């Protein structure tokens, strides 16, 4: 059983934090598909400290998402601690996570994200200061190193543990790799063998079988899934069930996929406004449509939609078209 600090987590399947994706609308949907823990997209410490309006909106959590991990990023101790304290006292996040993996230059040049990976002493210092300032458990999500020549994954994870951190999530790539190559699960296993707090493995879990393999091969306490869940919360459900029973649940129908896509859309509209939500939903709609035969035209058309009505009509018409084609194929086969 995965337990982070005093937070009990029902199963080891964790939705990865993803900027521009993991807001409450998507997280709640994935939670309903059975994820043990959902992680929010990263939030700037400076944005929190200055009470920036858009940043404050990012702290919204629906109670049904519990337990949720809220990730902050920053490069300076004072603002990071102040932001963590604010989240601790003013949000219903169960866990506060610190980002030590973000590879993008805009973040690393402010000494935030993956930049920390070069200095275990800084990690100790920053994590200890945050742990001291808050009540909620503090965790860290990191990459395995900055580049091939600077892989301090074990020292960095041990620094988190010594500083009082309650868990580590480890993505088996370096900062320089960005998303290239394959994730290194050997490092994940080595880190697991060298720390005593829970380790969540991450990187390239694309199927329920991958999740099981990661658990078996590395001994991690949880598996974190990112890209495979985009437009595909069923993958989370299938993984939870597969780990429980060893059986693979079936694939959703096209209608089921579009129904969930529309639920996600309506949640996004409630969270933001229709104008923003529909634009943001275009990429999600394309992900929901992925793999459905004959989707090319509708995937392009999604990008022209600017109202709920347009997007919903487009998608429901597509479902009808697919179902009619299937009925025709079945009747001619008889
Ligand atoms: C669109 C996108 C946004 C991401 N944003 C974040 C983020 O805000 N914080 C973070 O720690 N990692 C972020 N990541 C990294 C993922 O959490 C995860 O580590 C990575 O995608 C590898 O896992 P996967 O192979 O299951 O996708 C992001 C990844 C993607 C694809």
């Amino acid at each position: 059983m995965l337990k982070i600090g005093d937070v009990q987590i029902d199963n080891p399947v964790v939705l990865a934090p993803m900027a521009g994706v993991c807001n409450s609308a998507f997280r709640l949907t994935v939670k309903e598909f059975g994820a043990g823990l959902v992680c929010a997209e990263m939030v700037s410490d400076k944005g929190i400290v200055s009470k920036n309006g858009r940043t404050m909106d990012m702290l919204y959590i629906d109670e049904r998402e519990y337990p949720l991990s809220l990730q902050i990023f920053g490069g300076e101790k004072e603002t990071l601690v102040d932001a963590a304290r604010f989240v601790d006292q003013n949000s219903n996040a169960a866990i506060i996570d610190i980002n030590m993996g973000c590879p993008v230059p805009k973040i690393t040049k402010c000494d935030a994200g993956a930049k920390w990976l070069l200095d275990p002493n800084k990690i100790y210092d920053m994590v200890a200061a945050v742990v001291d300032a808050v009540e909620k458990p503090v965790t860290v999500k990191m990459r395995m190193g900055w580049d091939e020549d600077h892989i301090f994954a074990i020292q960095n994870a041990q620094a988190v543990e010594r500083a009082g951190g309650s868990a580590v999530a480890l993505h088996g790539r370096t900062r320089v790799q960005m998303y290239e190559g394959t994730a290194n699960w050997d490092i994940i296993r080595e880190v697991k063998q060298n720390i005593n707090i829970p380790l969540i493995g991450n990187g390239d879990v694309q199927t329920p079988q991958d999740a099981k393999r990661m658990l078996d091969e590395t001994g991690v306490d949880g598996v974190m899934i990112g890209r495979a869940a985009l437009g595909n919360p069923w993958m989370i459900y299938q993984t939870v069930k597969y780990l429980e029973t060893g059986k693979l649940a079936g694939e959703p129908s096209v209608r089921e996929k579009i129904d969930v896509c529309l639920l996600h859309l309506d949640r996004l509209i409630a969270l933001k406004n229709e104008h923003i939500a529909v634009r943001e939903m275009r990429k999600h709609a394309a992900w929901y449509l992925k793999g459905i035969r004959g989707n090319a035209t509708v995937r392009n058309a999604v990008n022209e939609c600017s109202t709920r009505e347009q997007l919903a009509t487009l998608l429901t018409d597509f479902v009808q078209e697919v179902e009619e084609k299937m009925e025709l194929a079945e009747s001619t086969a008889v």
Side-chain angles (χ1 to χ4, degrees), residues 288-305:
Y288 281 100
L289 289 163
K290 210 170 142 192
I292 303 176
R293 202 185 294 174
N295 71 11
T297 313
V298 67
R299 275 179 79 158
N300 285 333
V302 156
N303 290 321
E304 306 299 319
C305 294

Side-chain angles (χ1 to χ4, degrees), residues 179-251:
Y179 290 92
E180 300 293 317
T182 46
N184 181 336
W185 291 6
D186 292 337
I187 291 277
I188 296 177
R189 184 179 58 246
E190 281 175 43
V191 170
K192 173 62 197 168
Q193 287 164 355
N194 282 282
I195 58 171
N196 301 300
I197 51 176
L199 181 69
I200 297 167
N202 170 238
D204 298 346
V205 173
Q206 279 153 8
T207 62
Q209 294 93 324
D210 288 342
K212 168 112 175 61
R213 200 164 52 79
M214 181 185 266
L215 285 164
D216 291 346
E217 288 178 9
T218 68
V220 283
D221 305 275
V223 278
M224 180 179 271
I225 298 171
R227 289 164 295 173
L230 296 173
N232 193 4
W234 293 270
M235 191 277 177
I236 298 289
Y237 172 78
Q238 288 162 337
T239 303
V240 172
K241 289 293 155 206
Y242 185 69
L243 294 178
E244 265 171 28
T245 66
K247 294 202 181 89
L248 274 176
E251 288 297 320

